Amino acid sequence: MKPAITNKTGLSLLVLLFVFFGERAYGQGAEMNAYQFGDGLIFSGKSGYTLNIRGYVQPAMDTRFYSGDSLDGYRTRFRIRRARLRLNGDALDGRIDYRLQLDLSGNSEDGDQANAYLLDAWVRYSFNKNLRLTIGQKYTPTDNREMMMGSHTLQLVERSKITSAFASIREFGLYLDGTYRIAGGAYLKPSIAVTNGDGPNVFQRDRGGLKFGGRLDFLPLGTFTNFGQYRQADLVRELTPKLVVGAVYSYNQGMSSRRGRESGAILYLDKDGKELLPDYTKFGVDFMFKFRGFSMIGEWVRTQATVPSDITTRVRNDGTTSNTFEVDGKQDVENYVKGRMMLGSGFNLQAGYIFRSHWSIDARYVKLNADTHSFLNNGTFYNRPEYYTIGICKYMGRNYGFKVQGDLTYVKVKPGSNDIYGNPYSGDRELIFGLITTFAF
């Protein structure tokens, strides 16, 4: 019998890795040559390598008002939203670099798995200044643009519902990324990804086939300042307009979860008892614009599924099986399977402005359009088609080292929904207040 790999064991191993890297750096004569609040410690060695250790913590609270037309019921939650520790390094004059990132809070948004401590673990080789190959676990370029941006740089307290509904967030696989300058100072940034299609690293059996996808970004006005393409607010106040427009596509062969985050969560069998899973297609377009403190992000995502006609059996959560696929009082395998997946489309538009005093005001609108048969119609977790958010943030300095932000979201609720406890919901709206503090070293 194989020994179980627990979260506690995995966390201990990861901490030992940090100790090992630190000891190696010290033993090879590494010296700390830079430190900036929020950007971490930077070490370098005589053999031509650098090492960056950084992290941040985000205490947070949120209150959801959910009961009846008068909104007299509420629930308040306090938690450490994120507690990240990250190690970056490079060697061979920058031709090889790597990243190891942990979330010690146990509240990671990565995957549907609880306590997903390991976030990033990858090694990248640069063939030249234009082309790089990465192997390991990282965010996937086949998600919406918001997922390419660091959690500590978000304009609002949480990511949009587009991410919640459709993003797979992190995956394990191969990634090929390019950067090419073309006429007039514009850039093309293509990315290709071949991954497991089941979210973070799978310790048990990996179900289904591979996921193939890619992204193409076009920057007509040149590159952003200080990695601004991967940070939401325009804290550097771009002196000239910056724009990136992207298109994305992915095809997941044999998906065993709602959106490709967790292997083996939802399983089906054919008449011979062999696993047979639906395929999942996702595509979309997005953009980001920045200029002198103003920033805007727009995203549109669409998902579809193809259900094999040979599915005869479903596997329940407890491991037992059933041959019933009842939808609207009749046996309907295809629409039953689709009803357990995140199918439909969504649109997110958000914008904000940072004043020279480092106060910002931000707003966001999200619209979800569920297919007739989709988990987006689930009364407890979704069935809420529109979200209106306004927020305010104070940045304590010129980077993301310390900030305090709060926002208020108005949610439209469709009939047939439930409250957070699964009880029938009589109201047609909810209010969510969020508050979060970010402290980075």
Side-chain angles (χ1 to χ4, degrees), residues 175-188:
Y175 304 86
L176 187 64
D177 301 292
T179 301
Y180 300 96
R181 185 171 181 173
I182 57 179
Y187 283 81
L188 282 177

Side-chain angles (χ1 to χ4, degrees), residues 237-282:
R237 304 184 65 86
E238 295 281 3
L239 297 178
T240 60
K242 300 296 181 182
L243 173 68
V244 56
V245 180
V248 63
Y249 173 87
S250 65
Y251 179 72
N252 195 339
Q253 296 178 323
M255 190 174 73
S256 60
S257 60
R258 301 196 192 283
R259 60 177 83 70
R261 290 187 186 177
E262 183 180 8
S263 178
I266 303 175
L267 297 175
Y268 303 99
L269 310 174
D270 64 13
K271 61 183 178 59
D272 297 320
K274 297 180 180 179
E275 287 185 4
L276 188 59
L277 303 171
D279 298 335
Y280 189 73
T281 303
K282 181 170 66 176

Side-chain angles (χ1 to χ4, degrees), residues 84 129 161 179 187 215 232 235 261 304 353 374 401 426:
R84 302 280 173 90
K129 66 178 182 179
K161 278 295 178 179
T179 301
Y187 283 81
R215 164 179 285 275
Q232 284 199 351
L235 198 56
R261 290 187 186 177
Q304 299 172 339
Y353 180 76
S374 169
S426 61

Side-chain angles (χ1 to χ4, degrees), residues 294-363:
F294 174 78
S295 60
M296 176 177 285
I297 299 171
E299 306 169 295
W300 176 80
V301 177
R302 177 74 170 105
T303 61
Q304 299 172 339
T306 303
V307 180
S309 59
D310 297 336
I311 289 177
T312 62
T313 307
R314 59 185 173 90
V315 181
R316 297 189 181 101
N317 291 337
D318 61 2
T320 61
T321 60
S322 173
N323 300 114
T324 61
F325 293 82
E326 188 172 308
V327 177
D328 297 329
K330 63 180 182 180
Q331 185 82 347
D332 189 341
V333 173
E334 178 178 356
N335 288 325
Y336 182 93
V337 173
K338 288 184 175 180
R340 303 176 77 187
M341 305 172 72
M342 307 300 280
L343 300 177
S345 64
F347 176 78
N348 170 42
L349 183 65
Q350 64 187 63
Y353 180 76
I354 295 182
F355 296 90
R356 294 188 181 277
S357 60
H358 294 156
W359 284 93
S360 76
I361 54 174
D362 306 279

Side-chain angles (χ1 to χ4, degrees), residues 95-112:
R95 283 179 294 169
I96 294 178
D97 62 312
Y98 57 87
R99 174 176 297 176
L100 179 64
Q101 182 173 203
L102 319 177
D103 190 328
L104 307 180
S105 70
N107 289 317
S108 173
E109 68 258 19
D110 290 20
D112 295 319

